Amino acid sequence: MLPNVTVNPAAEKFMRRMVRFSGHGDGAGFRLTVSAGGCSGYSAEFTVEGAPLAGDEVLAVGDLKVFLPAESRLMLDGVTIDFSDTPTASGLTFFNPNAGACGCSSSSGTSAQPPGVAKVDISSIRRS
């Protein structure tokens, strides 16, 4: 069953570019694996695949195919996916309105993400 997930235009544009420049062809899609972890509650990896892997469901965002394994479908229900590009970081951002506040602290002086928001740095991209 596909989750109730919103993909904002900036995230869609990023995903489309990754698929287009992957060299995988027309059947390719953006595979997003999300699991529990990290202060914000999400840990994510993504690849571009030529076809969905066993167990993946295909979320259609227009004509873009987003391949979601079972664990990702569970984690993404109700989540909004966006893309952030700032001078200090670029990556997908996940906002879960039902997530609680982060209970950890950091002595590094960096500010914590707002509750329910996770950033995935684009350096985590793997090409298979």
Side-chain angles (χ1 to χ4, degrees):
M1 178 177 193
L2 290 173
N4 176 24
V5 62
T6 301
V7 179
N8 284 347
E12 181 182 352
K13 181 178 179 181
F14 170 74
M15 291 176 187
R16 283 183 187 284
R17 283 185 175 173
M18 296 302 301
V19 172
R20 181 178 20 204
F21 295 115
S22 72
H24 281 292
D26 291 338
F30 189 89
R31 187 167 197 269
L32 180 60
T33 305
V34 180
S35 56
C39 183
S40 65
Y42 295 102
S43 176
E45 292 185 3
F46 42 92
T47 58
V48 174
E49 302 291 339
L53 301 180
D56 286 355
E57 292 273 342
V58 179
L59 173 68
V61 180
D63 61 349
L64 171 69
K65 298 173 192 152
V66 180
F67 304 147
L68 299 173
E71 66 188 33
S72 298
R73 295 190 303 266
L74 293 172
M75 294 292 298
L76 290 173
D77 196 41
V79 170
T80 298
I81 303 172
D82 205 351
F83 183 79
S84 174
D85 189 15
T86 68
T88 58
S90 292
L92 291 175
T93 303
F94 300 86
F95 176 71
N96 181 352
N98 300 315
C102 178
C104 62
S105 62
S106 172
S107 60
S108 67
T110 59
S111 60
Q113 296 295 327
V117 174
K119 288 198 176 188
V120 180
D121 187 1
I122 60 175
S123 63
S124 66
I125 299 169
R126 295 181 306 168
R127 186 167 182 219
S128 23

